[in-house]
Amino acid sequence: MSYKIVRKEDLNPQVFLMEIEAPLVAKKAEPGQFVILRIDEFGERVPFTVSDFDREKGTVTIIIQAVGKTTKDLAAMKAGESILDFAGPLGMPTPLDHIKKVAIIGGGLGTAIAYPQAKKLKSLGADVTVITGFRNKELIILEDEMKAVSNKLIITTDDGSNGLQGFVTDRLKEEIEAGEKFDEVIAIGPLVMMRAVCRVTEQYNIPTTVSMNPVMIDGTGMCGGCRVIVGGETKFACVDGPDFDGHKIDWDAALKRSQMFKPYEKRSCEEGRCRITGKEHCNA
Amino acid sequence: MPNMSLTKNPMPAQAPDVRNKNFLEVATGYTEDMAVDEAQRCLNCKNRPCMTGCPVAVKIPEFLALVAERKFEEAYEKITETNALPAVCGRVCPQEKQCESKCVRGIKGEPVGIGRVERFVADYHLQHGKDKAVEVKKNGKSVAVVGSGPSGLTAAGDLVKMGYDVTIFEAFHTAGGVLMYGIPEFRLPKNIVQKEIDKLKSLGVKIETNTIIGKTLMVDELLEQFDAVFVGTGAGLPSFLRIEGEALNGVYSANEFLTRINLMKGYKFPEYDTPVYCGKNVAVFGGGNVAMDAARCAKRLGAENVYIVYRRGKEELPARKEEVEHAEEEGIQFKLLENPTKFIGDENGWLKGVELLSMELGEPDASGRRKPVEIKGSEHVLDIDTAVIAIGQTPNPLIKKTTEGLDTNAKGCIIADEKGATSKAYVYAGGDAVTGAATVILAMGAGKTAAAAIDEKLQNK
């Protein structure tokens, strides 16, 4: 069995979208859930959060940043080609039904994962404010898509190159200070960004959901590699999450754990040969 | 005239200081002459005590008699009348607790090396034999098997031979369950497992990988498409020690450590993309087969000191005897009667040591083994940079959580009667999913029993 890439689109120089044929996954997928894929026989199992799905077409969309071995290999693939394994949907869907007014925060690539949440909440009739942050204007993704599923879209850049300078936390604070009463904040992005958002929302007592994306292998509760400490208890991101109460996460432990395989990731990129292009390594 | 030697033909094996640096199979297997010589030690007892010790009732004296006559292919057919995975069983069954424990020759001297001869026969067939095309009349009924480990493969093999249309659903990208992700290459080569699986496929068993029942498809959806469902999902949920420092970098569950190595071939990184971190000083916690496997893997990955830390004594180690012996020969250090109390990390969140508490053995507990009791004030620190926790697994709750009417016990094990029937109509279960972590052969026995029960039920449907 293999899974065909039906569409591939570059969103910015590093980030691209892949729409993959996987009817059974598409049928069950909900916002917040993820898939695990393996490119070929030699590949590693890598989790990707579902960015969109089309139940009728039987496709699942994931958005990928070419940063490591597998993501660079994926970047070298084209529409029409297939990947060997694609399993899901895994994890628990984000509980969204109770939310009336929400701020959805997407940091960089996290915007891709925040998109299905915004889409679902908008369709449920919630008031949706989306705040997305990028390092610069060139890296902005999903602007039109987010506009279509939000009541208000704020895009901010670290360097101000899009005309609005600052972090997502600056924008969130402004909104709250301006009197917006969010019953929940959903923050998705790098660990440090999610932690920063939680520090803000703690001051205002706004419940905050974050999406954790630790290293994992099976995605079904078997390896325990994705351990996250939440409220002093060990949880598995794959089956108990990936969404958790951001105010209860042990961020220090999560940041340290995210470093465990960093030296290997570097080596894999430097010494591993791209099996798609056959090039020395995939710094394409 | 039987061979009256009091000892088994020794199993040829790679030398310990050679094999502890490679992942090739440790035991290299009997030659034809050794197998014949060993088979001739069987007295062919009329009441066949050995068979009572076999969960799948292999016709042991019959197959040994055929081996003694050098009729290796016929011996293979005799074994596979009741055992779908002889090359696997010959390698990983705890024979000393099963067939061989009942062997009359064991009263004075060593029992017949039944497992070793079984392995020889299976390997002989894989090399020289041809699978005969079996004509099975389809009965028009279908069964879904959830999980492709020992119980699922056995149930599937039996059911397809009875005429059922059988589809196995596997969550991973590769079929085989614990035979693929858990047991290392040097004890059970993956090409051997693959050949056994290919044989089932040639009989008509369909295998759908990447399909997580409870996520991708639900048991109730399977019941709409199939006449019955067999759940053989094993014990996939790792138990942790629940002590301080378990989230430190360098601390693994045995499942993660072994899956990285075996299923993902992390020992061949960077040829394979999945890395496996293994430091210089490794402690494995637990005393079962999984602990031995993890320790021996760590040694092969280049660790200088590998410790087995176990809270009871040597006699109480639940691992197969041969695995303990092999581990000792390979330089694994046993720290017995020691119990971890906390992991100690450095400022960057990496493991640097474990605090241990010494134990002594007290009165026998519910399991009949002497209960370890802490010696107060005996805390001491062992310097380690890698820890592997191998203290057991419990069944994965995915199916329990998503299947209405399927009862489980307090430990999360599916409740099934002696035939494998669960509380839900047309749903059967067996193996570790029912018993909690046990052995390959017990799971195979359960798969076999459930297949017969499913057949009985569906014939009367």
Side-chain angles (χ1 to χ4, degrees):
Chain A
M1 180 112 192
S2 65
Y3 303 81
K4 196 169 151 192
I5 303 162
V6 295
R7 183 165 68 102
K8 188 185 166 214
E9 224 173 84
D10 289 336
L11 301 185
N12 74 28
Q14 273 176 22
V15 175
F16 57 98
L17 157 166
M18 269 186 175
E19 187 177 345
I20 291 161
E21 217 167 65
L24 289 179
V25 184
K27 201 173 151 194
K28 293 273 164 44
E30 290 289 346
Q33 290 189 296
F34 65 95
V35 295
I36 283 195
L37 65 76
R38 193 176 72 130
I39 298 177
D40 62 18
E41 218 33 63
F42 296 89
E44 55 184 339
R45 292 172 65 92
V46 185
F48 290 96
T49 307
V50 170
S51 186
D52 204 356
F53 47 85
D54 187 326
R55 301 207 204 282
E56 276 167 29
K57 265 170 81 185
T59 60
V60 174
T61 300
I62 52 176
I63 293 180
I64 302 154
Q65 186 164 13
V67 284
K69 175 72 169 64
T70 298
T71 49
K72 285 176 182 171
D73 280 1
L74 283 168
M77 297 187 77
K78 299 180 194 69
E81 294 178 331
S82 293
I83 53 176
L84 188 58
D85 300 297
F86 193 86
L90 296 161
M92 304 301 289
T94 312
L96 298 172
D97 295 351
H98 62 286
I99 301 173
K100 297 278 177 286
K101 184 170 173 63
V102 67
I104 297 178
I105 322 282
L109 186 71
T111 305
I113 306 163
Y115 172 69
Q117 328 265 8
K119 188 176 170 184
K120 175 94 183 249
L121 279 166
K122 191 76 176 42
S123 77
L124 291 172
D127 181 282
V128 180
T129 297
V130 171
I131 303 171
T132 58
F134 302 90
R135 271 185 289 130
N136 61 52
K137 192 172 79 172
E138 273 65 50
L139 300 179
I140 293 173
I141 58 170
L142 299 181
E143 183 169 357
D144 295 340
E145 288 84 350
M146 278 299 200
K147 204 172 273 169
V149 297
S150 58
N151 300 71
K152 183 173 186 179
L153 171 65
I154 304 164
I155 302 176
T156 185
T157 47
D158 296 0
D159 67 354
S161 53
N162 76 326
L164 190 56
Q165 197 265 325
F167 298 125
V168 287
T169 41
D170 300 326
R171 303 287 91 84
L172 176 63
K173 243 188 251 174
E174 285 167 11
E175 290 300 302
I176 298 169
E177 291 295 337
E180 297 286 352
K181 298 251 180 286
F182 300 114
D183 26 89
E184 190 155 327
V185 169
I186 297 174
I188 304 171
L191 289 173
V192 281
M193 179 224 107
M194 294 194 287
R195 180 177 64 180
V197 169
C198 287
R199 283 180 180 162
V200 170
T201 57
E202 255 165 349
Q203 296 165 21
Y204 298 96
N205 256 323
I206 307 171
T208 302
T209 300
V210 296
S211 177
M212 303 300 278
N213 192 10
V215 167
M216 57 177 76
I217 302 175
D218 60 295
T220 63
M222 208 199 88
C223 78
C226 63
R227 305 198 285 294
V228 178
I229 302 173
V230 185
E233 271 183 75
T234 297
K235 299 276 183 192
F236 291 175
C238 66
V239 287
D240 301 318
D243 294 344
F244 293 102
D245 179 344
H247 295 160
K248 291 189 178 160
I249 298 261
D250 182 337
W251 293 103
D252 185 48
L255 279 160
K256 283 174 177 164
R257 264 192 88 70
S258 73
Q259 298 301 309
M260 178 154 173
F261 289 98
K262 277 276 158 17
Y264 293 92
E265 284 165 26
K266 195 161 173 274
R267 227 186 112 193
S268 192
C269 271
E270 284 168 358
E271 295 174 31
R273 186 173 283 269
C274 173
R275 291 186 301 274
I276 313 298
T277 62
K279 283 184 198 155
E280 274 294 307
H281 54 78
C282 277
N283 286 324
Chain B
M1 185 57 197
N3 166 2
M4 292 311 290
S5 163
L6 290 180
T7 54
K8 291 180 189 179
N9 279 273
M11 176 59 110
Q14 287 192 69
D17 61 341
V18 173
R19 70 181 191 237
N20 68 9
K21 294 170 194 70
N22 70 51
F23 274 83
L24 302 175
E25 194 167 19
V26 166
T28 48
Y30 276 175
T31 61
E32 286 186 21
D33 289 343
M34 288 176 193
V36 170
D37 192 63
E38 188 63 30
Q40 284 171 344
R41 293 184 63 227
C42 173
L43 301 176
N44 214 344
C45 308
K46 272 220 166 59
N47 59 350
R48 305 193 285 191
C50 49
M51 273 186 67
T52 64
C54 177
V56 295
V58 168
K59 293 172 182 160
I60 295 165
E62 280 99 321
F63 100 74
L64 289 175
L66 289 163
V67 173
E69 294 171 41
R70 291 188 179 268
K71 293 179 177 165
F72 305 133
E73 275 300 297
E74 285 92 332
Y76 180 79
E77 280 166 35
K78 187 56 73 184
I79 296 173
T80 49
E81 278 177 26
T82 60
N83 183 350
L85 309 169
V88 173
C89 291
R91 287 173 166 82
V92 304
C93 269
Q95 288 99 1
E96 77 266 18
K97 290 181 188 157
Q98 295 175 342
C99 52
E100 294 180 18
S101 75
K102 313 276 183 188
C103 177
V104 171
R105 294 298 306 266
I107 297 167
K108 193 182 167 197
E110 288 182 346
V112 177
I114 300 167
R116 295 174 183 180
V117 182
E118 181 185 36
R119 169 183 160 166
F120 166 79
V121 171
D123 287 358
Y124 181 91
H125 176 78
L126 289 176
Q127 265 187 352
H128 306 283
K130 282 208 174 71
D131 285 312
K132 290 181 185 159
V134 199
E135 276 297 313
V136 182
K137 197 164 171 285
K138 290 272 173 197
N139 65 14
K141 289 175 179 159
S142 62
V143 181
V145 172
V146 185
S148 62
S151 73
L153 291 176
T154 305
D158 280 14
L159 288 162
V160 81
K161 285 183 205 159
M162 293 171 191
Y164 292 91
D165 207 11
V166 181
T167 305
I168 300 180
F169 294 93
E170 166 58 43
F172 265 130
H173 54 263
T174 301
V178 73
L179 306 175
M180 282 295 190
Y181 75 72
I183 304 175
E185 178 77 16
F186 57 81
R187 198 149 80 79
L188 179 63
K190 302 308 145 209
N191 69 333
I192 298 273
V193 182
Q194 193 55 53
K195 280 180 184 168
E196 300 275 33
I197 292 167
D198 289 344
K199 228 161 48 194
L200 289 180
K201 282 194 198 166
S202 72
L203 291 172
V205 173
K206 292 187 270 294
I207 302 181
E208 298 286 349
T209 51
N210 297 324
T211 311
I212 304 110
I213 304 304
K215 288 286 179 190
T216 318
L217 286 170
M218 304 298 157
V219 168
D220 285 308
E221 288 175 291
L222 295 179
L223 285 170
E224 290 166 15
Q225 296 174 44
F226 297 87
D227 295 296
V229 174
F230 173 76
V231 181
T233 43
L237 207 70
S239 300
F240 281 89
L241 290 159
R242 296 181 177 278
I243 58 174
E244 193 185 318
E246 238 163 5
L248 288 169
N249 290 339
V251 181
Y252 287 108
S253 73
N255 270 357
E256 180 181 1
F257 189 63
L258 291 172
T259 302
R260 283 180 179 276
I261 294 166
N262 301 322
L263 182 75
M264 307 311 296
K265 308 226 182 303
Y267 65 95
K268 294 186 182 172
F269 177 84
E271 181 193 355
Y272 283 77
D273 290 343
T274 306
V276 52
Y277 161 79
C278 183
K280 292 283 170 233
N281 299 297
V282 181
V284 178
F285 300 89
N289 289 324
V290 174
M292 301 303 141
D293 286 346
R296 296 170 70 194
C297 280
K299 193 81 192 171
R300 282 160 173 76
L301 290 172
E304 282 161 18
N305 292 298
V306 181
Y307 310 99
I308 290 271
V309 180
Y310 182 56
R311 63 198 183 112
R312 301 182 198 244
K314 190 162 183 192
E315 290 306 305
E316 286 78 24
L317 284 168
R320 256 176 117 221
K321 204 169 140 234
E322 192 183 69
E323 307 312 325
V324 177
E325 287 167 6
H326 278 160
E328 282 181 320
E329 288 168 12
E330 289 170 15
I332 309 299
Q333 302 164 54
F334 284 73
K335 293 212 163 276
L336 301 167
L337 293 165
E338 304 264 23
N339 205 28
T341 46
K342 68 174 175 194
F343 289 113
I344 303 158
D346 67 14
E347 65 282 4
N348 296 317
W350 282 86
L351 178 69
K352 65 172 191 182
V354 60
E355 185 184 89
L356 301 174
L357 197 58
S358 300
M359 314 290 275
E360 59 191 354
L361 289 178
E363 296 298 307
D365 64 9
S367 71
R369 296 178 298 178
R370 291 179 65 192
K371 192 183 159 81
V373 186
E374 293 176 357
I375 301 174
K376 285 223 168 70
S378 64
E379 290 89 349
H380 54 287
V381 173
L382 179 67
D383 290 341
I384 53 169
D385 48 21
T386 308
V388 181
I389 299 162
I391 56 165
Q393 296 88 234
T394 54
N396 193 307
L398 268 184
I399 289 195
K400 174 186 88 175
K401 280 190 197 159
T402 53
T403 310
E404 217 173 299
L406 184 68
D407 293 344
T408 54
N409 68 17
K411 287 181 174 168
C413 301
I414 298 172
I415 298 169
D417 67 14
E418 71 283 356
K419 289 182 168 179
T422 69
S423 56
K424 193 172 172 80
Y426 299 103
V427 177
Y428 291 74
D432 286 4
V434 169
T435 56
T439 61
V440 167
I441 188 69
L442 285 174
M444 289 178 59
K448 198 164 197 61
T449 307
I454 290 170
D455 183 46
E456 197 187 323
K457 176 91 173 174
L458 294 186
Q459 281 199 11
N460 299 325
K461 190 178 174 181

